[in-house]
Amino acid sequence: MEYPDFFEKIEKIKVKDELATFLGAGNGIFEYSYYDMVKITGHSCATVAGGYLIASEGLKHLYKDEIPVRGNIKVEISKLPTENNFGVIGLIISAITGAGGDDGFSGIPDGRFKRRELLSFNANVPYDVVMTRLDNGKQVGINYNPYAVVNPKEILKTVLNPDATEEDIRAFPKKFQKMVATIFENRDKVIKVEEL
């Protein structure tokens, strides 16, 4: 598999999933990479980077030095899935945190390990995303703004413009991924997290 070199430099997200342990799928310790999210969505862009960074930074603030517990996190997204591609962001956050919507896992018969209805869109929250630990109620609010460092639409225009040259088209993929790399290099500028 080929992918840009900077993918290797992006910090992985480690979680533990007690359902995996319960069902015998190893020790339940999982590591997710940005490339895993690229494989799930089929592309690398500012939106996919945003979903990954929201999950990564939100979990750091929720759990500090603990390993985050997958399936123990409620996720509220203030946007609709169709708004600014927040459906893609929700998909990524769901994959990492285990939080599911109406289609999520209903749990085992005694009620444990339920992930259904832990992810919601169009939520009445004053951040792009609010994440809540189910065990202690701790919350964080997260906002994502890639435009603090890049302008994805302007880069897209270089190839969508009818006057785009063959060189514009040839250079576009590297230019686009350089933009994604810039987002990761400036995570402190594009992601703002507040502990609530």
Side-chain angles (χ1 to χ4, degrees), residues 13-195:
I13 301 172
K14 181 187 280 189
V15 298
K16 61 182 176 183
D17 194 317
E18 293 169 355
L19 175 60
T21 307
F22 178 76
L23 296 176
N27 64 3
I29 302 294
F30 301 141
E31 270 196 344
Y32 293 103
S33 69
Y34 176 65
Y35 188 47
D36 290 330
M37 300 305 111
V38 171
K39 288 184 281 187
I40 287 171
T41 61
H43 66 295
S44 169
C45 70
T47 300
V48 177
Y52 191 82
L53 285 170
I54 288 169
S56 177
E57 296 303 311
L59 291 175
K60 281 180 189 176
H61 282 79
L62 268 185
Y63 283 89
K64 304 294 185 188
D65 297 328
E66 301 175 65
I67 298 176
V69 180
R70 193 172 185 275
N72 185 49
I73 303 146
K74 179 181 177 182
V75 177
E76 297 170 281
I77 298 174
S78 63
K79 308 288 194 296
L80 292 165
T82 53
E83 190 177 353
N84 297 330
N85 291 311
F86 262 83
V88 176
I89 287 175
L91 172 68
I92 292 165
I93 297 171
S94 175
I96 294 168
T97 66
D102 293 339
D103 58 348
F105 180 56
S106 62
I108 62 174
D110 68 3
R112 285 181 293 160
F113 309 121
K114 179 182 174 186
R115 283 94 195 271
R116 186 174 293 168
E117 299 171 351
L118 292 182
L119 173 72
S120 60
F121 290 92
N122 201 27
N124 184 23
V125 293
Y127 299 88
D128 290 334
V129 178
V130 169
M131 298 169 68
T132 306
R133 282 179 61 162
L134 299 180
D135 59 342
N136 63 12
K138 184 176 179 181
Q139 291 186 309
V140 293
I142 310 126
N143 285 325
Y144 172 58
N145 177 25
Y147 289 92
V149 294
V150 296
N151 191 330
K153 290 179 182 176
E154 286 301 315
I155 295 172
L156 273 170
K157 282 182 186 176
T158 63
V159 289
L160 299 180
N161 186 329
D163 298 327
T165 65
E166 286 186 18
E167 178 54 33
D168 290 333
I169 294 166
R170 191 166 40 251
F172 172 73
K174 284 190 177 180
K175 185 186 290 186
F176 197 79
Q177 289 310 307
K178 183 178 180 184
M179 178 265 298
V180 176
T182 299
I183 290 171
F184 279 104
E185 289 162 3
N186 293 276
R187 62 171 61 208
D188 59 324
K189 294 178 182 171
V190 299
I191 290 281
K192 300 298 178 189
V193 184
E194 289 188 24
E195 297 181 14

